[in-house]
Amino acid sequence: MFGLMQDRPLLISSLIEHAATFHPHTEIVVRSVEGPIVRTDYDAVHRRAKQVAHAMAQLGIAPGDRVGTLAWNTHRHLALYFGVSGAGAVLHTVNPRLFPEQIDYIVNHAEDQVLFFDTSFAPLVEKLAPGLRSVRAFIAMTDRAHMPAIDVPNLLCFDELIDAQSEDYDWPVFDERTASSLCYTSGTTGNPKGVLYSHRSTVLHSLMECTPDTFGVNSGMTLLLAVPMFHANAWGMPYAAAMAGVKLVMPGPHLDAQNLYELMRDEKVSISQAVPTVWLMLFQYFDAHPELDPRALGLKRIGLGGAATPRSMIERFERDFGADFVQGWGMTETSPIGVIGNLLPKHAALSEDEKIGIKMKQGRGVWGVALKIVGEDGRRLPHDGKAFGHLHVRGPWIASGYFRGEGGGVLDAEGFFPTGDVATIDADGYVQLVDRAKDVIKSGGEWISSIDLENAASAHPAVAEAAVIGIPHPKWTERPLLIVVKRPGSEVTASQLRDFLAQRVVKWWLPEDVVFVDSLPHTATGKLLKTRLREMFKGYVAAKSV
Ligand code: ADP
């Protein structure tokens, strides 16, 4: 017997419609690509999104067609988020930081019909255009006065195209399982693969982000959207923000620490999220400006994910900024939130140090995501905080496969998605990442976590950033190599670092060698690029001095 409840599909258009109805004048503040601050609101973005939907028809975009964007976090991109998906087409957010050859591959693979781009990418678009076989029009996301002078076929002006459309539009109602947006994983190995989100997965993921035990997104907040809208839909925040009617602050292309700081200060931002590299940049800004008091910003909550967090980062946010630190773990394939780390009531009596120890873990299960860890034989391992194995996840916002069947069937026999991460899960359900399966160092039949070693090294005051990779070893198969960027003006030797680590990790984990470099390579999503490091140190022979 079916229940007698109304069968309304969960559609992305309902999010912006709700925001425009119940939070029409809640502000959206944007540091525009052109430079000045633009102030708009949900009512205006909703009207713009409806015009975008009309423009889709004018451009000949049919339901299911892919619409590419090469764009920063702005009001125009936000209107595309709701307008393109709301009309039934698929918004394909392309990461402009990828190599041009990867962008070419991705746009062709997705068969994007049109490409919206910010003017900062005009030279890139001009270079790529001849190879983008499916793209019929290129739309510069600006006004007439700022149109780039580039030679591409069918170059249109966003403001002109959209201004000409009617604001009268009834959002179509269709199956909630319809594809809504597409995002390619950066593909550190092999070709990038497309993760295809649905309206249903996006709305359920947004609901989860609004619950108090996760990010608790609510209308009392002001959110600085520091995660790019081309990274797993900015962690789903534009949708959750509309669902809750949150004041949004968008930095555009101006992701430098000074601009982020000024936006936080001027717009009274209460919550923001980003990968650790962004927060490191903000810390460096405060280091260079000792006259500024981070507490005066009034930040209440800082979210972090995407890469391991140094303990010192949590300490600094909580101690110097007075902000509550929340870590999340996930990946493009998990929309991206898989687990989120908040404390439980029983932790209230713990010391600050112990609480930070718990916040170092990646997080606990949220409703909607089932978790398991399995050994090499695929058998489940206990949730005792000690056994570690491959982390597999299942739920309504977890990918079931890749766009156009790339990579074949990816789920295990129980329908779980293998994440490629190695983790422990403790009795309270906290997941702790040991490593990515391909980064773990296999030494004498045992595993060494490169993440744990990096965290331990980062705790040294002279270390700005640390990376650990495995180097071949005749006896132990692999041994860890520690690669360090020193903090400007600080000095530390390899043997001092090794002594420091000896107090923090077991002896056989100690790095075979320590190398100092000026900078470390990062991926397009700001993570350590271990493949590049492995190339750089191929054939490296450890010095015996350490
Ligand atoms: P890729 O890095 O392959 O481009 P994603 O951006 O989707 O893909 O990154 C997902 C990966 O990032 C996860 O599989 C995990 O290894 C890492 N990651 C995500 N969150 C965390 C976290 N809180 N701590 C450590 N690593 C994390």
Side-chain angles (χ1 to χ4, degrees):
M1 193 188 334
F2 287 118
L4 289 172
M5 291 295 120
Q6 298 180 7
D7 194 9
R8 298 292 298 168
L10 306 175
L11 297 179
I12 284 173
S13 53
S14 72
L15 302 173
I16 191 66
E17 203 159 37
H18 170 83
T21 309
F22 294 101
H23 307 275
H25 305 307
T26 297
E27 271 191 310
I28 293 158
V29 183
V30 187
R31 166 71 71 187
S32 65
V33 177
E34 295 83 3
I37 294 276
V38 172
R39 289 181 184 274
T40 177
D41 60 24
Y42 281 113
D43 174 54
V45 169
H46 187 215
R47 285 187 279 115
R48 224 51 191 149
K50 292 198 257 187
Q51 291 175 300
V52 165
H54 279 299
M56 289 301 114
Q58 184 184 319
L59 291 167
I61 301 296
D65 279 353
R66 272 78 63 204
V67 171
T69 64
L70 266 175
W72 302 107
N73 295 6
T74 70
H75 51 308
R76 293 188 180 96
H77 208 177
L78 195 63
L80 290 173
Y81 254 56
F82 293 107
V84 172
S85 305
V90 178
L91 184 82
H92 173 205
T93 51
V94 184
N95 184 345
R97 292 181 184 146
L98 296 174
F99 291 119
E101 304 77 53
Q102 286 176 309
I103 299 180
D104 176 278
Y105 171 87
I106 287 173
V107 172
N108 280 310
H109 189 267
E111 296 185 333
D112 291 338
Q113 298 296 301
V114 294
L115 184 66
F116 287 84
F117 66 97
D118 274 328
T119 50
S120 16
F121 306 120
L124 177 66
V125 167
E126 186 171 39
K127 189 169 141 204
L128 289 171
L132 306 181
R133 296 184 294 277
S134 53
V135 178
R136 291 181 274 116
F138 295 84
I139 303 113
M141 295 162 71
T142 189
D143 54 18
R144 177 49 57 188
H146 293 90
M147 280 299 282
I150 53 170
D151 181 20
V152 297
N154 274 331
L155 177 66
L156 303 175
C157 165
F158 183 96
D159 281 9
E160 273 179 9
L161 171 73
I162 306 301
D163 284 344
Q165 313 296 328
S166 161
E167 291 180 1
D168 260 346
Y169 184 80
D170 290 328
W171 293 111
V173 176
F174 42 75
D175 193 315
E176 64 186 16
R177 293 167 300 176
T178 302
S180 57
S181 59
L182 177 65
C183 189
Y184 281 72
T185 61
S186 12
T188 28
T189 54
N191 276 328
K193 293 197 274 297
V195 178
L196 190 60
Y197 307 100
S198 71
H199 285 258
R200 173 184 155 81
S201 71
T202 304
V203 172
L204 289 174
H205 183 263
S206 309
L207 260 178
M208 176 274 294
E209 290 189 318
C210 292
T211 58
D213 281 342
T214 64
F215 290 127
V217 176
N218 68 76
S219 60
M221 290 177 160
T222 296
L223 172 78
L224 173 69
L225 199 66
V227 179
M229 289 167 83
F230 49 78
H231 283 178
N233 299 321
W235 299 358
M237 279 295 144
Y239 305 115
M243 178 176 265
V246 176
K247 174 176 168 183
L248 265 184
V249 181
M250 309 177 88
H254 314 280
L255 286 166
D256 58 289
Q258 178 167 348
N259 190 54
L260 293 186
Y261 166 75
E262 286 173 5
L263 285 173
M264 284 178 170
R265 180 195 63 196
D266 298 347
E267 300 304 326
K268 310 212 168 5
V269 167
S270 59
I271 174 174
S272 189
Q273 300 159 318
V275 291
T277 19
V278 171
W279 297 138
L280 276 177
M281 239 170 48
L282 187 71
F283 287 174
Q284 281 161 5
Y285 183 75
F286 275 99
D287 288 343
H289 294 86
E291 74 284 4
L292 299 177
D293 174 13
R295 228 167 236 274
L297 284 178
L299 276 175
K300 295 210 164 41
R301 183 167 277 200
I302 280 293
L304 179 145
T309 317
R311 185 184 184 96
S312 55
M313 185 170 279
I314 309 182
E315 285 169 349
R316 187 155 177 187
F317 270 128
E318 301 219 329
R319 188 192 58 217
D320 295 2
F321 288 71
D324 184 28
F325 178 92
V326 186
Q327 178 164 190
W329 164 90
M331 55 202 311
T332 306
E333 290 88 334
T334 65
S335 289
I337 303 298
V339 303
I340 294 188
N342 277 307
L343 299 182
L344 293 168
K346 70 174 187 185
H347 297 133
L350 295 181
S351 69
E352 289 311 307
D353 244 27
E354 289 166 320
K355 284 183 186 164
I356 289 177
I358 294 170
K359 291 185 172 202
M360 291 280 295
K361 299 191 176 191
Q362 273 62 32
R364 298 181 70 235
V366 297
W367 175 84
V369 182
L371 306 163
K372 67 174 178 182
I373 42 171
V374 300
E376 295 296 339
D377 56 3
R379 292 245 281 276
R380 285 183 189 239
L381 296 169
H383 294 187
D384 59 6
K386 292 192 189 75
F388 56 84
H390 299 279
L391 179 64
H392 291 200
V393 295
R394 185 175 66 189
W397 57 82
I398 311 294
S400 62
Y402 292 100
F403 186 46
R404 306 176 104 188
E406 283 305 316
V410 290
L411 305 185
D412 72 12
E414 293 182 316
F416 280 66
F417 176 83
T419 64
D421 284 329
V422 174
T424 62
I425 304 179
D426 69 17
D428 288 325
Y430 286 93
V431 169
Q432 183 157 23
L433 235 65
V434 175
D435 222 327
R436 299 198 101 172
K438 56 183 188 295
D439 292 340
V440 77
I441 295 153
K442 295 168 186 97
S443 179
E446 299 286 346
W447 284 5
I448 298 175
S449 160
S450 65
I451 294 184
D452 281 359
L453 266 181
E454 285 158 9
N455 282 343
S458 301
H460 192 286
V463 173
E465 205 180 6
V468 172
I469 56 167
I471 47 170
H473 190 279
K475 180 165 175 202
W476 304 111
T477 320
E478 264 185 352
R479 292 289 302 147
L481 171 70
L482 172 63
I483 309 158
V484 168
V485 180
K486 282 188 238 177
R487 222 175 263 287
S490 299
E491 268 316 319
V492 64
T493 64
S495 64
Q496 282 167 340
L497 261 182
R498 205 164 187 271
D499 291 345
F500 179 81
L501 288 175
Q503 296 156 31
R504 286 165 174 78
V505 299
V506 288
K507 194 156 172 277
W508 61 275
W509 276 37
L510 286 177
E512 199 66 13
D513 206 349
V514 182
V515 186
F516 296 97
V517 293
D518 291 337
S519 67
L520 289 167
H522 292 97
T523 66
T525 47
K527 296 172 201 194
L528 284 172
L529 188 52
K530 297 252 172 118
T531 43
R532 175 86 192 93
L533 281 173
R534 281 192 278 265
E535 273 165 29
M536 282 163 64
F537 290 94
K538 203 170 168 193
Y540 183 85
V541 180
K544 288 283 163 230
S545 57
V546 187

